[in-house]
Amino acid sequence: RARAEANFDKARRAVDEYLAQVTGSQLLTVPGLQPLREDLLEAALTFYAEFTQERADDPTLQRELASARYRLGRIHSELGDRDEARQANQEAIRLFEQLRDAGHFNLDLQAALAQAYFYSGQYEDVVSLCEDVLRAEPGHLEAASVLADTRNEQATASGKQGNIEAALGFHQQAFELREALVASDPNNPRYVAQLGGTVNNLGVLLDRQGKREPALAMFERGVEYAQQAFEREPHSLLWGLWLCTGLSNVARKQAELGRDQEALATYQRIVFVSRKRVFENPAVTSLRGDLYRAHLTLGNFQQRLGNRSEAARSFRAARDVLENIPQETADQLYELATVYAALAQPVEGAIIPDPDAAAEQQRNIELTLETLRKAVDAGFDKVQSLNTNALFNVMRDRTEFQ
């Protein structure tokens, strides 16, 4: 019996390690590889399901199964499978609540349930659980993290409703929580990046109130945090995106305040960061769309300043980015379509709608659809890629996309 127990524990540890590698791998988060990550996690779920059938009274296994369901829900969400994401998350909630009702409800389990509640939009339940955890253990990092995420969502909702005062209050709470998280774990790039995101959001609210100088100061501070996270994980698509978003806010505000040379340097920095993102993620063709847009934006600003020769160089660089994307096979045409789709995304962090930007977005949607037609005519048949790539969400209601 002792040998059987040892073998069982060994098998469970192997699955635990496998699951940690699958869910934590940065490589498997690259667009195009998430379906593989999904398949690997499904395999881990099968193992846990078999284990729990053998040991139905083992709360540790029940919790691991619940955690695996939660992680699967997050992967479904990344792939754009909203219904499956919701179902997986609801199943995780059911399993976590089952453990709670059976009396197996420690602080870590409370924090895990709060995370699942967060992704189902049950924000009041999240706040209640996290505050209970933090009263019992003020330094509980995961509870503080999900509570900060919740305050951020509440701030965003309040801002959209025009309640700036409430939004500022929620952002301030998120800021205090995230600042404490960074102080507790300063080398954690997620905590650093999220603190930068909160600071940037405060800048957006200040800008809406017409407080341009304080807004710029907040945008610049947010960029400092985003830069730290990006330097620690330069392959991270999200940290790179947040850094470019923050830099764009800084550049726009510098230009509005008449600090043209500072704005020029910031636009040049966006090109540098965008180029580095392409270098760090060569398989993610859509990032070339961001690099193209960075060159184009820099060129437009240089032209506005009267620097015609510099603007011409930037425009040529933008053209070269697109022309150097292979366009021969069906898969290459599909990748080019993802670049046009990236260019068709709404501008992150934009404060005031831009009619020219809206027209450019529509032009890139048309180019995306045209290139996709060419890809299909050339034999492209990966329907799942079309259905799950979030870049195409801006055009899914178009008849031509169906």
Side-chain angles (χ1 to χ4, degrees):
R1 180 179 176 83
R3 181 178 297 178
E5 288 290 336
N7 288 338
F8 180 84
D9 288 340
K10 184 177 180 180
R12 190 176 75 182
R13 284 196 301 273
V15 175
D16 288 346
E17 182 178 349
Y18 167 82
L19 181 60
Q21 291 175 345
V22 169
T23 56
S25 170
Q26 286 291 332
L27 174 62
L28 292 177
T29 64
V30 171
L33 291 184
Q34 296 104 322
L36 172 60
R37 186 169 172 234
E38 180 182 32
D39 291 343
L40 294 172
L41 185 52
E42 289 278 15
L45 278 171
T46 300
F47 290 135
Y48 277 123
E50 291 176 356
F51 285 158
T52 52
Q53 286 179 358
E54 295 178 25
R55 305 288 180 91
D57 59 345
D58 188 333
T60 301
L61 282 177
Q62 293 286 353
R63 176 180 173 173
E64 292 302 329
L65 179 60
S67 296
R69 288 288 181 194
Y70 166 79
R71 290 164 175 160
L72 182 63
R74 304 280 41 81
I75 293 175
H76 281 314
S77 180
E78 291 173 13
L79 292 169
D81 302 331
R82 295 182 180 178
D83 289 341
E84 293 187 25
R86 180 176 45 78
Q87 291 171 10
N89 196 64
Q90 286 301 317
E91 177 63 11
I93 289 174
R94 186 188 71 78
L95 291 167
F96 281 132
E97 290 179 339
Q98 192 175 70
L99 285 165
R100 176 197 62 193
D101 295 342
H104 305 294
F105 205 48
N106 58 29
L107 297 180
D108 290 342
L109 186 59
Q110 283 182 258
L113 177 57
Q115 286 182 320
Y117 279 156
F118 173 78
Y119 284 105
S120 69
Q122 297 173 234
Y123 298 141
E124 293 303 321
D125 291 327
V126 175
V127 171
S128 177
L129 277 174
C130 289
E131 288 183 343
D132 284 347
V133 172
L134 292 171
R135 274 192 292 269
E137 185 182 324
H140 198 290
L141 298 184
E142 285 308 308
S145 179
V146 71
L147 180 57
D149 292 342
T150 302
R151 293 308 191 196
N152 186 71
E153 290 299 317
Q154 291 173 316
T156 300
S158 296
K160 289 180 178 178
Q161 294 167 2
N163 192 340
I164 303 299
E165 183 177 352
L168 281 170
F170 285 129
H171 274 315
Q172 183 62 37
Q173 291 179 59
F175 174 81
E176 291 171 0
L177 287 162
R178 287 175 168 169
E179 191 175 45
L181 284 167
V182 171
S184 298
D185 189 0
N187 294 319
N188 187 316
R190 176 166 66 93
Y191 292 162
V192 174
Q194 289 177 333
L195 177 57
T198 291
V199 173
N200 181 80
N201 291 339
L202 284 167
V204 171
L205 287 179
L206 289 170
D207 195 57
R208 287 177 179 171
Q209 294 176 303
K211 301 175 181 178
R212 296 191 296 177
E213 289 282 1
L216 174 58
M218 281 293 182
F219 289 146
E220 290 175 333
R221 187 176 175 188
V223 162
E224 291 176 7
Y225 290 121
Q227 181 69 46
Q228 291 176 34
F230 184 61
E231 286 175 354
R232 288 170 186 159
E233 290 186 348
H235 53 276
S236 170
L237 300 181
L238 188 57
W239 306 158
L241 174 62
W242 286 8
L243 176 56
C244 287
T245 298
L247 286 169
S248 295
N249 286 336
V250 169
R252 278 198 299 271
K253 205 50 49 190
Q254 288 170 333
E256 286 178 19
L257 292 168
R259 302 177 186 177
D260 289 343
Q261 292 307 307
E262 292 179 21
L264 178 62
T266 303
Y267 281 124
Q268 291 169 335
R269 186 177 169 189
I270 295 171
V271 170
F272 174 81
V273 173
S274 299
R275 188 182 294 117
K276 185 172 179 59
R277 294 181 73 206
V278 172
F279 176 79
E280 294 288 348
N281 301 278
V284 188
T285 309
S286 60
L287 291 180
R288 301 187 193 186
D290 294 336
L291 178 56
Y292 167 87
R293 179 153 43 193
H295 280 302
L296 198 63
T297 302
L298 174 60
N300 286 331
F301 191 71
Q302 289 167 328
Q303 194 171 58
R304 197 190 97 180
L305 296 180
N307 302 333
R308 294 184 180 179
S309 59
E310 290 87 347
R313 277 196 293 270
S314 294
F315 292 143
R316 284 196 297 271
R319 182 195 63 199
D320 290 344
V321 170
L322 292 186
E323 289 183 349
N324 286 328
I325 298 175
Q327 305 178 34
E328 298 176 0
T329 69
D331 285 342
Q332 289 170 346
L333 285 165
Y334 171 78
E335 292 297 334
L336 178 59
T338 67
V339 173
Y340 288 131
L343 294 171
Q345 302 304 304
V347 177
E348 294 286 343
I351 309 299
I352 302 173
D354 184 343
D356 291 337
E360 182 68 10
Q361 180 189 27
Q362 288 303 313
R363 189 180 78 85
N364 284 307
I365 287 175
E366 297 300 334
L367 285 170
T368 303
L369 294 170
E370 178 185 346
T371 308
L372 282 176
R373 281 194 295 271
K374 291 179 180 178
V376 171
D377 290 343
F380 185 81
D381 59 358
K382 298 174 184 176
V383 177
Q384 185 183 21
S385 296
L386 288 169
N387 290 338
T388 59
N389 194 322
L391 289 173
F392 298 130
N393 288 348
V394 295
M395 60 198 77
R396 291 195 189 279
D397 59 345
R398 293 283 294 265
T399 304
E400 306 96 303
F401 191 85
Q402 308 304 316

